[in-house]
Amino acid sequence: QHSRLKERHQSTGVSKATAASAAIFISSPQPSSSAPMTDSKKHSVVVAVVGYTGGVGTCLLTAMDKIDLKPFALVRSSSMRIAGEDEVPVDFTLLGTRLLEAAAKRGAVPVIADVTASPVPQEQYKDWLSRGISVVAANKGIFSGPEDKYRDMLSAVNPPTKLLHEATVGAGLPVLGTLGSLKASSHKILKIEGILSGTLAFVLGAVAGGKKTFSQAVAEAKELGYTEPDPRLDLSGMDVARKAVILARLSDLTGVELTSMDIESLVPEPLRASTISVDDFLEGLSAYNEDFAARVAAVEKTPGSRLHYVAKIDVGNKKVIVGPMAFEAGHPFNSAGPDNLVAVTTNFYSPRPLVIQGAGAGGDVTATGVLADILQC
């Protein structure tokens, strides 16, 4: 994803306080609450990394090396290397068997960390879990896909085996773990609101106050490397929607499907066709500047109010909405800048929500989120 945006998002400081602590604001996550020992003999996990040659995969290996946690197996799309042996064709069943054998010999927990963007490893999750292998994932796919398949996968999780996927929402931000801790400590999740796209945060920040037109903001975001090669992939809001599905399901909502959600795309209808080139899309976007500016101005008539692209999970009313929404001056979103920010309202954190804020993209922060999950297994 967008390298320059990631650099801009890099956080300073460390805070991963207990999720249900008295702190109302959590930012700049690092896995300090489960700080690993540096002696490799003291690690109680045997890890296979699937997707080790990708951006997040290489960062994960670097992070593991820093704490002296050596991978037992390394897997890429066509081949795998187990226990330092010669590479062989990928065989996920054999991988699981060898991992279980090694874990049994060491008295350790077998873990497979999937940091690919491929659906292929996810087809193995249920089998791995049923065999007693914990799975750590960074791929939103199955977690935001059809609910029946998601629930079927969950049915294979039998403690102490774990299925953790913190990095699927907000990279390394402690969002999903925080929700789990809140629920476990008697909080009732009432509402979750999230700015979950740094790209869309940049675009809407650029048009605030009439500083730039909508088309100028999108063009600048693309030029700076903040968007996908086709900005419509960002502007469609589908990535935010997938994260909203994950948050909704972890808030115990059922029946939430991407296909039936209320998602407002920022791509004008006439410019959505795949037959329209990126250049033609960018050129045609200027025709919608006036309408978008009017929408922004209408929100900003109320002093301090801002328009943000947000995922909103209203647990009480069983409703999930994704799209541009207005927020009054005192809302935490208005000070988020380019960060991801998630505001969680519970029966105890109300009316002021618990706020989690920080870099929501980048290989290093995503990798530390994955590593924190590995260490929790």
Side-chain angles (χ1 to χ4, degrees), residues 15 70-71 77 134-135 152 176-177 222 262 285 295 340:
S15 175
K70 308 301 181 185
S77 58
S134 291
V135 173
D152 185 51
L176 307 189
K222 185 177 187 301
D262 183 357
L285 198 58
R295 183 172 188 177
N340 275 202

Side-chain angles (χ1 to χ4, degrees), residues 194-195 200 204 236-237 240 263-266 307-311 322-324:
I195 293 177
L200 293 175
L204 289 179
S236 71
V240 175
I263 306 167
E264 182 179 346
S265 171
L266 293 186
L307 188 69
H308 298 281
Y309 197 94
V310 170
V322 174

